[in-house]
């Protein structure tokens, strides 16, 4: 029990009586009123001070302790120390037990002030200026007067409370705060406002109140008191709260393009501002989005997507997120979807008892928690029903009002648009990813030239882009490696990426040097830009890096078109950024590309990547490339493990803001004993000795199983070179564990071609025979002329 404040004015008599009826406190004002010192009465029964029966303030009379009343007022006839009876008007407030102290009553009796408000110039001046419920306090914070409107609010007669402090009239936290405001006004001479939420006497629920505290001055300008006017601004307060909720929903709901997170944001923003528990139930998206939406017909299957409670841990939740429930006709969820309007169900009207028939567990939970009002609001966007948001109240005593329904519909409409956008984005993203994955290589083929590993990660914060990579086997056991990035995101970028990847593979098959290949690719992008510009979809741009590695010479030729330069990790040195001519991005048109050639030792690792790996909001490209080199400098393991280590080091935990393509290739060299070369004189009679040398070489390689086919292919290719080519002529055999390659080079630039020989033709069947006997054949141009090659699959030699 709080002790009597010793700083209070001693003119007011105060006493504290505990629940047993024993006096516990007695101030100086009480001693002046009845003459009893505190030592004579504290600890004794309070009833000993009664000299006669009480004059009750109302028909119920003064309450007995513990009767449940919070306040009592009335006239008591008390016994003075000198024996005479003193009638005293007493205001008693119930005090609950606190901090181990027993409960009891605080009784106050106001001092005897000069009667009559009309005779008090201070009161007249203040009341004349106040159009509403008004109280006037003097400079000692004693209540000097109040008008009828204020008397009705406090529920006490005006003539009885004069001389009391605000904390005597109502010993609440709001009264204590009001006294602090009045003290500031007395000290500063400037008006002050106090906003609070409380229940006035006789009201069933609390209101929002605005107390305006203004100084009252005498003719000399000295502040001699304060005037307090009370205004019920509940409607303005609620309107402000609703506006704030709508504004907060517009900011917080839809921060991402994720359906579940958007639904959770809707639930979070409405608790506790609008409801004590909110759940968001969504209809499963249609299997075929292009079909016209059908209106929901009960029973309706809804999936719990999110919920939020005012109680930590969401104990009110009956269903877990992800669970599918079926709501029959008569449930708020089904009724609001069928009607397309918000539905409010009340316990008092037995609306919620319909749950008894279809969900006894839910009905029991409603009763256990005291849920008295439920509001279901449909979520609809672009004429399609997406689901329903359900609002529950059990801690707030007020039922949902018409204004609450309008507010819930406004917030839910905004959320529905965001959920619809998220679903459309998810569908487009999945379509784009499916297209992207279908266009990218699923696995990298085993090759004698390099060991390769790759990673592709779509963007998480924006649409899927047009990053791609590829590894293309070339003739002579060479390999082409390419990484590219199409400007933009979405299906258009993925489709353009697919066209460029196909073009690169086509151009690689004719063995164009890297700079020439990029030139042809640039022409293609220019044409694509012209086509897309005509359709109003804008220009097409891309970057690309193309490299060709030869395991026989161990040389690599590279060219790039506006793409980041690769990182080279030597077998026994630190990683380094290769210095290559940058070249313009694809689509600029008319500008040249340059190739660079370097020798790569066996075991060197080339890292090709797109800019999404090294660029981010947290760092620029230069810092990202430095981090990439630092990561690649770690002890080497498998290329797959290195790919994972690079992604963990360079990408944020939440995913990349842009697409990421990474290709790692570890070079292999072909040993010299797996290559044989002969210079062939341009004499047809020497073809037979050449075949004999080939058979001897195959015997030394233990490849006699392939000798018949190889002898025939070599004979045809060498004969054609002697007959149609120009010297010098060179024959080269290359083999690994699975393939034998025959190459014949000459200085003629005329490319061979297949033709169907007629029955009576003596020649023209050589290349057709080669094509039938080998798994692949072709020709490539060289700076000196051309090379015709054929690949033979080797049988298992074990």
């Amino acid at each position: 029990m709080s002790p009597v404040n010793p700083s209070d004015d001693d003119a007011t008599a105060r006493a504290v009586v505990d629940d047993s009826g024993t006096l516990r406190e007695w101030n100086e004002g009480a001693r002046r009123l009845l003459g009893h010192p505190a030592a004579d009465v504290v600890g004794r029964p309070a009833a000993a001070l009664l000299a006669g029966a009480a004059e009750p303030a109302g028909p119920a009379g003064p309450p007995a302790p513990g009767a449940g009343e919070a306040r009592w007022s009335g006239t008591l006839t008390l016994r003075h120390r000198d024996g005479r009876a003193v009638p005293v008007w007493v205001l008693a407030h119930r005090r609950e037990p606190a901090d181990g102290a027993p409960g009891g009553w605080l009784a106050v009796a106001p001092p005897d002030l000069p009667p009559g408000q009309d005779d008090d110039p201070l009161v007249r001046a203040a009341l004349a200026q106040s159009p509403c419920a008004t109280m006037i306090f003097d400079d000692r914070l004693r209540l000097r007067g109040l008008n009828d409107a204020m008397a009705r609010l406090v529920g006490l007669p005006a003539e009885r409370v004069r001389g009391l402090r605000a904390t005597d009239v109502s010993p609440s936290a709001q009264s204590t705060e009001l006294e602090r405001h009045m003290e500031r006004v007395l000290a500063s001479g400037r008006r002050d406002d106090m906003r609070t939420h409380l229940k006035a006497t006789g009201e069933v629920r609390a209101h929002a109140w605005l107390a305006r505290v203004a100084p009252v001055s005498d003719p000399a300008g000295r502040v001699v008191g304060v005037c307090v006017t009370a205004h019920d601004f509940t409607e303005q307060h609620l309107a402000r709260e609703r506006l704030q909720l709508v504004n907060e929903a517009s900011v917080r709901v839809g921060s991402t393009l994720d359906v579940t997170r958007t639904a959770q944001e809707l639930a979070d923003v409405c608790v506790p501002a609008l409801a004590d528990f909110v759940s968001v139930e969504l209809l499963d998206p249609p299997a075929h989005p292009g079909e016209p939406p059908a209106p929901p017909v009960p029973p309706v299957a809804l999936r719990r997507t999110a919920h939020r409670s005012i109680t930590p841990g969401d104990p009110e939740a009956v269903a877990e997120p992800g669970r599918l429930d079926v709501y029959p006709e008569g449930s708020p969820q089904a009724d609001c979807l069928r009607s397309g309007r918000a539905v409010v169900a009340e316990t008092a009207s037995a609306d919620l008892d319909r749950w008894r028939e279809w969900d006894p567990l839910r009905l029991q939970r409603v009763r256990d928690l005291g849920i008295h009002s439920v509001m279901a609001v449909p979520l609809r966007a672009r004429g399609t029903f997406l689901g329903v948001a359900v609002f529950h109240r059990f801690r707030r005593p007020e039922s949902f009002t018409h204004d609450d329904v309008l507010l819930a519909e406004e917030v839910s409409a905004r959320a529905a648009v965001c959920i619809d956008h998220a679903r459309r984005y998810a569908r487009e993203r999945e379509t784009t990813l499916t297209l992207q994955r279908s266009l990218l290589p699923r696995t990298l083929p085993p090759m004698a030239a390099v060991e390769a590993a790759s990673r592709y990660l779509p963007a998480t914060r924006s649409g899927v882009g047009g990053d791609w990579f590829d590894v293309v086997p070339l003739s002579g056991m060479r390999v082409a490696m390419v990484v590219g990035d199409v400007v933009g995101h979405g299906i258009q970028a993925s489709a353009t990426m697919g066209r460029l990847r196909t073009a690169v593979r086509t151009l690689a098959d004719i063995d164009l040097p890297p700079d020439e290949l990029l030139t042809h690719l640039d022409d293609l992008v220019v044409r694509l830009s012209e086509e897309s510009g005509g359709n109003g979809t804008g220009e097409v741009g891309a970057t690309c890096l193309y490299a060709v590695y030869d395991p026989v010479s161990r040389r690599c030729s590279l060219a790039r078109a506006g793409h980041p330069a690769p990182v080279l990790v030597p077998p026994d040195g630190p990683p380094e950024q290769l210095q290559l001519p940058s070249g313009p991005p694809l689509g600029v048109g008319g500008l040249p590309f340059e190739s660079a050639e370097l020798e790569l030792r066996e075991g060197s690792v080339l890292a090709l990547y797109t800019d999404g790996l090294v660029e981010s909001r947290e760092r620029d490209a230069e810092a990202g490339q430095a981090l990439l080199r630092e990561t690649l400098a770690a002890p080497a393991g498998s290329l797959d493990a290195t790919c994972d280590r690079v992604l963990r080091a360079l990408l944020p935990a939440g995913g990349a803001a842009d697409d990421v393509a990474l290709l790692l290739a570890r070079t292999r060299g072909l040993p010299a004993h797996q290559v044989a070369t002969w210079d062939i004189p341009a004499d047809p009679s020497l073809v037979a000795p050449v075949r004999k040398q080939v058979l001897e070489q195959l015997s030394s390689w233990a490849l006699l199983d392939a000798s018949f086919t190889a002898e025939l292919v070599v004979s045809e290719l060498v004969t054609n070179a002697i007959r149609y080519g120009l010297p010098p002529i060179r024959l080269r055999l290359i083999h690994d564990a699975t393939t034998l390659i025959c190459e014949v080079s000459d200085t003629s630039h005329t490319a061979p071609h297949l033709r169907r020989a007629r029955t009576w033709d003596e020649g023209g069947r050589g290349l057709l025979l080669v094509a039938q006997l080998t798994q692949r054949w072709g020709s490539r141009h060289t700076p000196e002329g051309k090379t015709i090659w054929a690949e033979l699959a080797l049988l298992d030699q074990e």
Side-chain angles (χ1 to χ4, degrees):
M1 185 184 308
S2 302
V4 176
N5 191 340
S7 64
D8 285 349
D9 181 33
D10 289 336
T12 301
R14 296 182 179 85
V16 175
V17 183
D18 65 18
D19 284 339
S20 66
T22 303
L23 272 168
R24 292 302 179 188
E25 297 182 26
W26 187 264
N27 78 336
E28 178 63 19
R31 187 198 65 78
R32 292 179 180 178
L33 179 63
L34 297 179
H36 299 283
D40 291 348
V41 294
V42 172
R44 298 185 179 185
L49 295 175
L50 292 175
E55 178 190 329
E69 298 284 347
R71 188 178 73 179
W72 176 88
S73 63
T75 300
L76 297 176
T77 303
L78 303 179
R79 180 174 53 82
H80 195 273
R81 186 182 185 189
D82 59 12
R84 59 189 171 87
V86 180
V88 179
W89 186 84
V90 177
L91 175 62
H93 301 281
R94 175 69 181 170
R95 288 194 169 185
E96 298 299 328
D99 299 329
W105 294 80
L106 169 65
V108 297
D112 190 14
L113 292 179
Q117 295 181 350
D118 294 338
D119 297 331
D120 192 333
L122 176 63
V123 176
R124 278 201 317 272
L127 290 182
Q129 301 172 30
S130 177
C132 55
T134 306
M135 294 185 292
I136 303 93
F137 294 84
D138 61 18
D139 56 356
R140 300 177 69 181
L141 300 186
R142 296 180 303 180
L143 181 60
R144 297 291 294 273
L146 67 163
N147 63 2
D148 292 341
M150 183 61 74
R152 286 193 296 270
L153 288 180
V154 300
L156 295 170
E159 67 275 6
R160 294 295 191 179
V161 294
R162 294 177 69 243
L164 296 179
R165 296 174 65 104
T167 50
D168 293 330
V169 176
S170 175
S172 60
Q174 289 89 346
S175 296
T176 302
E177 183 182 0
L178 177 61
E179 287 196 347
R180 288 198 295 265
H181 281 270
M182 290 192 292
E183 289 171 351
R184 285 201 293 266
V185 171
L186 286 172
S188 65
R190 294 190 297 271
R191 58 179 292 178
D192 196 6
D193 288 345
M194 169 186 162
R195 289 179 173 84
T196 186
H197 212 77
L198 56 84
K199 182 171 63 175
T201 304
E203 292 185 330
V204 296
R205 63 188 182 94
H207 289 274
W209 293 90
L210 172 64
R212 293 194 179 276
V213 185
V216 177
S217 305
D218 63 8
R222 292 182 298 110
V223 178
V224 294
V226 290
C227 173
V228 180
T229 57
H231 307 269
D232 183 354
F233 75 123
T234 304
E235 291 302 323
Q236 296 89 332
H237 176 74
L238 292 177
R240 182 181 300 172
E241 282 191 336
R242 295 184 185 108
L243 182 60
Q244 182 177 355
L245 178 59
V246 171
N247 180 67
E248 189 174 0
S250 65
V251 174
R252 291 177 54 186
V253 179
S255 61
T256 66
L257 288 172
D258 180 82
V259 174
T260 301
R261 183 166 177 180
T262 301
Q264 188 63 55
E265 289 168 344
L266 170 60
D268 291 345
V269 81
C270 292
V271 175
L274 184 57
D276 300 322
F277 180 79
V278 175
S279 63
V280 180
E281 324 270 348
L282 296 181
L283 294 161
D284 284 341
H288 304 287
E291 297 178 355
V297 178
V300 180
L302 295 170
R303 191 174 301 279
R304 174 68 58 87
T305 306
H307 56 233
R308 175 68 183 273
S309 170
I310 197 172
T311 309
D314 303 317
E316 298 80 13
V318 176
E320 293 297 323
R323 172 175 151 181
L324 187 69
D325 281 337
V326 177
Y327 296 89
E329 187 174 2
S331 62
Q333 291 86 341
D335 287 352
C336 84
L337 287 175
R338 183 180 60 179
S339 64
R341 298 189 302 270
V343 172
V344 177
E346 303 286 347
T347 303
S349 60
D351 293 333
L352 299 181
D353 286 345
R354 298 180 183 178
W355 272 328
R356 186 197 313 274
E357 303 173 1
W358 62 277
D359 198 339
L361 174 62
R362 198 179 298 258
L363 177 62
Q364 187 61 42
R365 185 66 61 88
V366 167
R367 291 174 173 171
D368 293 343
L369 295 171
I371 295 175
H372 59 84
S373 189
V374 175
M375 174 173 55
V377 180
L379 299 173
R380 181 168 53 184
R382 297 185 301 120
T384 303
F385 286 99
L386 306 176
V388 59
V390 187
F391 304 81
H392 305 73
R393 280 185 178 175
F394 53 88
R395 184 173 298 181
R396 295 174 60 165
E398 307 88 5
S399 298
F400 289 109
T401 64
H402 177 68
D403 289 336
D404 292 329
V405 172
L406 295 178
L407 177 60
E409 288 178 337
E410 172 71 17
V411 175
S412 299
R414 291 172 180 261
V417 172
C418 296
I419 291 173
D420 181 58
H421 287 170
R423 280 191 168 177
R424 294 171 64 189
Y425 168 77
R427 287 196 299 267
E428 181 177 342
R429 176 181 172 83
E430 187 60 33
T431 302
T432 305
L433 279 175
T434 302
L435 175 62
Q436 186 91 327
R437 293 191 180 103
S438 68
L439 295 175
L440 290 174
R442 294 179 180 270
T443 58
L444 298 179
M447 290 161 290
V450 296
E451 173 196 359
S454 62
R455 293 292 186 274
Y456 168 75
L457 292 179
T460 57
R461 306 177 197 169
S462 58
V464 178
D467 291 17
W468 93 92
F469 64 90
D470 207 352
V471 178
V472 185
L474 302 178
S475 63
M477 293 192 178
R478 296 170 305 132
V479 63
M481 297 165 285
V482 59
V483 172
D485 182 2
V486 175
V487 175
H489 298 87
I491 294 179
Q492 183 67 33
S494 294
T496 302
M497 177 272 290
R499 299 175 73 173
L500 294 183
R501 178 172 177 259
T502 302
V504 168
R505 275 191 164 266
T506 303
L507 295 172
D509 279 344
I510 60 177
D511 273 308
L512 289 179
D515 54 344
E516 292 186 27
L517 183 142
L518 291 182
T519 300
H520 287 283
L521 205 60
D522 181 56
D523 293 338
L524 173 62
V525 174
V526 170
R527 289 196 299 273
L528 292 178
S529 294
E530 294 173 352
E531 295 174 4
S532 63
N535 295 331
T537 56
E539 295 184 356
V540 176
T543 64
C544 185
L545 171 68
Y546 185 77
V548 176
Y549 173 68
D550 185 349
V552 177
S553 65
R554 293 179 172 84
R555 300 195 66 80
C556 183
S557 179
L558 309 93
R560 61 183 178 131
H563 201 83
V567 173
L568 172 63
V569 186
D572 54 359
E576 59 178 298
Q577 200 90 28
L578 293 181
Q579 301 301 316
L580 303 178
S582 62
L586 299 175
V588 174
L591 297 177
F593 299 95
E594 298 181 52
S595 292
E597 191 171 84
L598 64 154
E599 184 173 350
L600 300 180
R601 289 181 290 163
E602 186 171 2
S604 299
V605 175
L606 267 180
L608 288 69
Y609 54 91
T610 56
D611 57 6
L613 180 67
V614 295
E615 293 183 10
S616 68
R617 297 177 181 176
E618 292 76 22
R619 60 174 181 267
D620 57 16
E622 186 174 349
Q625 290 170 345
L627 181 57
L628 173 61
R629 293 193 298 270
E630 179 183 342
T631 306
L632 291 173
S638 70
L639 290 184
D640 279 313
T642 303
C643 284
D644 294 336
R645 187 173 69 245
V646 168
L647 296 183
R648 285 195 302 268
L650 274 78
L651 300 184
D658 195 5
D659 284 21
V660 172
L662 173 64
L663 176 63
L664 299 183
R666 180 179 285 126
T667 61
R668 295 168 175 160
L670 204 63
H673 63 79
Q674 291 182 229
V675 181
T677 305
W678 295 271
D679 289 325
I680 307 298
D683 185 352
S685 63
L686 299 179
V687 174
V690 170
R691 290 200 302 267
K692 181 179 179 182
Q693 294 176 9
V694 168
L695 291 176
E696 292 174 352
Q697 184 64 56
L698 293 178
S699 176
S700 67
W701 285 343
L703 298 178
L704 288 178
D705 288 343
S707 59
F708 175 77
T709 304
E711 181 183 11
L712 186 57
V713 169
V714 166
S715 177
E716 291 296 333
L717 295 183
V718 170
T719 300
N720 277 348
I722 293 174
R723 181 176 300 175
Y724 302 110
L726 297 174
I729 302 171
R730 177 170 293 178
L731 168 66
R732 185 171 73 165
L733 298 183
I734 308 170
H735 86 90
D736 63 1
T738 60
T739 307
L740 174 66
I741 299 176
C742 303
E743 294 183 345
V744 176
S745 304
D746 66 79
T747 57
S748 170
H749 291 281
T750 303
H753 62 279
L754 276 174
R755 65 182 180 90
R756 185 174 296 278
R758 289 169 294 185
T759 304
W760 55 84
D761 287 344
E762 295 182 1
R765 298 177 179 85
L767 287 181
L768 181 61
L769 185 62
V770 170
Q772 295 295 321
L773 294 176
T774 60
Q775 62 179 6
R776 283 203 316 158
W777 79 278
S779 67
R780 65 176 182 268
H781 290 280
T782 64
E784 297 80 15
K786 69 175 183 298
T787 298
I788 304 175
W789 54 269
E791 292 184 3
L792 288 73
L794 297 177
L795 300 177
D796 190 353
Q797 301 300 310
E798 296 182 357

